Amino acid sequence: MTDLLIRDAEVDGVPGVDVAITGDRITAIGPNLVAPTADVIDADGGALIPGLHDHHLHLHAMAADAASVRCGPPAVHDPAALATALGKAAGDDNGWVRGVGYIDTVAGDLDADRLDRLHSARPVRIQHRSGAMWVLNSAAVTATHLDSATHPGVERAPDGHPTGRVWRADTWLRARLPPSRPPRLNNIGATLTRLGVTGVTDATPDLSPQSQAAIAAAMSSGELPQRVHLLGTPPDDVSVSPAARLTVGPYKIVLADSGLPDLDDLAARIREVHNQGRAVAVHCVTREALLILLTVLDEVRTIPGDRIEHGALIPAETIEDLHRRGLTVVTQPGFVADRGHDYLRDVDKRDHPDLYRCRSLIDASVAVALSSDAPYGPLDPWAVITAAATRRAPTGEIIGSTERITAAQALTRYLTPADKPGGTPRHIHVGATADMVLLSAPLADILTAPAADAVHATLIGGHLANPD
C-alpha cells in the first residue's frame, strides 16, 4: 500500500510525473498514478531530485562552532573588536571561552602572550579558521598542563615553554579540557534538511568512541535525520552495512601542513589500513603534501576507494597521476567564494589555477566530488555549486576561470553515493531509497541561480524531514 504520492513533479527533465513511495522505497513512477490511501504532495511542476550528499564535513565541530565566539571577519577585523567579543562572551558551564574563525589579519600571529593582552580573566581557546591550530591564553595553558605535555602538536618556544599554539591535536586537547558532552546535533540536522542534504560524510579524524556514540544517538533519536558516513573510525573498523543509516568509509589520514610525515611512516600507515581491506582518505591542502602522498603511493599502490580530501593545490603535472592511480578528489570550491580575497593576497598568482581544481580534473577523468568542509567552509551546497560555476571571489575577481564547471555538473557531484564520491550520480528510479529533494521549480530554472530557498521539501527514507 502506497504511503506517499508526489504528484506533478519534473523527474529527469520530464514534467508531469507522479512518484509513489512505500516505506523507504520508490515503488512506482509515471503519469496519473492511483493511490487512494496515500498522503499526497503536490509538486506543482517542481523538480524532484535525489537528496544531496555532502562528502566532507565535521558534525560536532559544526555544532560547537555555532555556539562559539566569532573571532574573524566579517564579525571581527581588529584587536580591539576581538577583545570586546571575548569579553562579552558568556563562556561555557566551566567558564571557558571558545572562539572560532581566527585569521592573522585580525591581531597578527596569535600566541598565549598576545591572547592574554586581549583577554586574560578566563581560560580562552581560539581556533584558527583553517581548523589546523588552537591558540590558548595563559589561563588555558595552565589548566591543560601544556608545560608537561609530550604531544608533538604542542608548539614550544626556544626556552621550552609552550607558546599556546597547539597543532592538529583536537582529540588530545579535548581530553585535557573540563569534562563536557559532545554538542547536540538537532540544529545541524534541521539546517542540513533545509538545504536539501539527506546524507553527510563526517571527515573528522580519530573520532572518539564518545563522539561516535553521540552521532549514533542523534540519528536514533531523529535529531540528525541524515545518513552518516564516517571516516574517523579506527583503521580496523570496516563494518559497512548498506541498509544502515550509519556507515564506515575510508580511514582519514591527515598530512598536516604544520609538519609533514616521514615517508616510511606514511607508507607503513597506509599499508596497514589497506591490509585491513579499507581505503584511505588523505587530507592534502598543500602541494608538498600531495607530492609526498603520490611518492608514497608509488610504493604502496592504491586500492579502490582511496581518496584525496581537499586537493587545495593540485599542480597540473600531477593530474594524470591522479587518474592513473584511480584516486578520487573530494574538494571544496566554496572556499574560492568564501576566501578568494585572501588567496588573491597571499597565494602566488602562478598558483591560482591550481586552487580547488574542478574542470581540469573532470576533463582528465579524475573522479571529483564536492563538499563543504563545514564549519571551516560554507555549508550551503547551492552556494558551493554557484562557486564552482563562477569561481568568483568576494572582491568580484575570478580565480582559475578555466576550472569553472556548469551548475548542472556541480550538482551531480553532490548526488553521488557516500561510498562512491565522484562516481555515477544517483537517480530517481523504482526501487531506489526515497531520499529526495523537491524543488520549487524545474531544475533548469533553479540552476540559472542556485539558491537554498529553492528547496521546497526534503524526504529521507520516504518521510518528510521538514514537515513544518
Side-chain angles (χ1 to χ4, degrees):
M1 183 178 294
T2 300
D3 298 319
L4 183 65
L5 185 63
I6 300 175
R7 288 205 179 279
D8 188 26
E10 177 196 75
V11 177
D12 288 334
V14 178
V17 177
D18 298 346
V19 176
I21 300 167
T22 304
D24 67 348
R25 298 284 166 175
I26 298 171
T27 50
I29 299 174
N32 304 314
L33 296 182
V34 177
T37 61
D39 292 330
V40 176
I41 297 176
D42 185 358
D44 196 25
L48 186 67
I49 64 172
L52 279 60
H53 187 96
D54 189 321
H55 290 283
H56 182 121
L57 51 64
H58 305 270
L59 287 167
H60 282 134
M62 290 166 63
D65 179 89
S68 299
V69 182
R70 306 290 111 181
C71 295
V76 167
H77 292 275
D78 55 46
L82 178 56
T84 298
L86 295 174
K88 289 182 176 179
D92 62 17
D93 292 341
N94 297 296
W96 281 63
V97 176
R98 184 185 194 274
V100 295
Y102 183 78
I103 184 172
D104 295 352
T105 57
V106 173
D109 192 13
L110 204 60
D111 60 13
D113 290 339
R114 288 193 177 192
L115 188 48
D116 284 345
R117 291 195 286 271
L118 298 171
H119 192 94
S120 60
R122 298 174 291 175
V124 176
R125 60 184 176 117
I126 294 179
Q127 189 178 46
H128 191 272
R129 74 171 187 176
S130 66
M133 177 183 70
W134 286 95
V135 182
L136 282 63
N137 69 355
S138 293
V141 166
T142 298
T144 53
H145 306 289
L146 292 193
D147 268 326
S148 59
T150 58
H151 192 283
V154 177
E155 183 182 282
R156 296 186 179 277
D159 63 3
H161 287 90
T163 64
R165 290 192 283 256
V166 180
W167 295 87
R168 294 287 178 196
D170 288 29
T171 302
W172 175 87
L173 180 60
R174 193 176 302 114
R176 289 181 165 242
L177 300 175
S180 63
R181 296 180 180 178
R184 289 184 60 186
L185 297 173
N186 55 321
N187 290 335
I188 301 302
T191 298
L192 290 167
T193 297
R194 287 194 295 272
L195 295 171
V197 176
T198 61
V200 301
T201 295
D202 187 287
T204 306
D206 301 320
L207 275 174
S208 68
Q210 184 186 29
S211 293
Q212 293 179 51
I215 290 172
M219 296 172 70
S220 296
S221 70
E223 285 188 4
L224 185 69
Q226 284 73 26
R227 301 179 193 276
V228 179
H229 202 51
L230 298 176
L231 304 186
T233 60
D236 59 352
D237 186 347
V238 293
S239 56
V240 177
S241 172
R245 289 174 53 233
L246 182 63
T247 54
V248 172
Y251 176 66
K252 177 75 173 287
I253 295 175
V254 176
L255 301 189
D257 40 310
S258 58
L260 293 170
D262 176 82
L263 269 65
D264 290 338
D265 290 345
L266 178 59
R269 194 175 186 193
I270 294 176
R271 190 178 289 112
E272 175 192 1
V273 176
H274 282 177
N275 288 342
Q276 299 284 351
R278 190 169 173 188
V280 293
V282 185
H283 168 110
C284 292
V285 298
T286 65
R287 175 182 288 101
E288 292 76 15
L290 179 62
L291 294 176
I292 283 175
L293 174 63
L294 294 178
T295 298
V296 167
L297 291 177
D298 281 335
E299 174 189 346
V300 176
R301 308 289 184 184
T302 58
I303 66 172
D306 284 345
R307 48 192 267 184
I308 291 170
E309 306 301 306
H310 309 300
L313 281 167
I314 297 182
E317 61 270 20
T318 65
I319 295 175
E320 178 53 36
D321 280 346
L322 300 178
H323 172 244
R324 178 171 54 85
R325 300 173 197 278
L327 290 163
T328 294
V329 176
V330 179
T331 192
Q332 299 91 28
F335 280 122
V336 174
D338 190 54
R339 303 183 185 176
H341 53 306
D342 294 331
Y343 300 149
L344 290 167
R345 182 188 65 239
D346 300 332
V347 176
D348 192 303
K349 189 173 183 178
R350 293 171 296 182
D351 295 333
H352 289 178
D354 297 343
L355 286 164
Y356 296 100
R357 288 181 178 271
C358 290
R359 165 66 63 191
S360 57
L361 297 176
I362 294 169
D363 286 349
S365 298
V366 175
V368 175
L370 298 188
S371 58
S372 66
D373 196 25
Y376 312 112
L379 173 63
D380 182 353
W382 305 96
V384 175
I385 289 168
T386 299
T390 65
R391 307 284 300 192
R392 191 178 301 279
T395 56
E397 296 174 78
I398 305 299
I399 298 178
S401 62
T402 58
E403 292 301 322
R404 287 182 290 201
I405 58 177
T406 68
Q409 289 174 314
L411 174 62
T412 65
R413 266 64 196 176
Y414 270 103
L415 301 183
T416 54
D419 60 348
K420 292 184 179 178
T424 302
R426 294 156 23 247
H427 288 277
I428 305 295
H429 63 88
V430 172
T433 301
D435 292 353
M436 301 183 290
V437 178
L438 179 59
L439 302 176
S440 59
L443 185 57
D445 294 345
I446 299 299
L447 292 180
T448 60
D453 60 9
V455 175
H456 179 67
T458 301
L459 291 87
I460 301 178
H463 298 282
L464 277 173
N466 53 347
D468 296 329

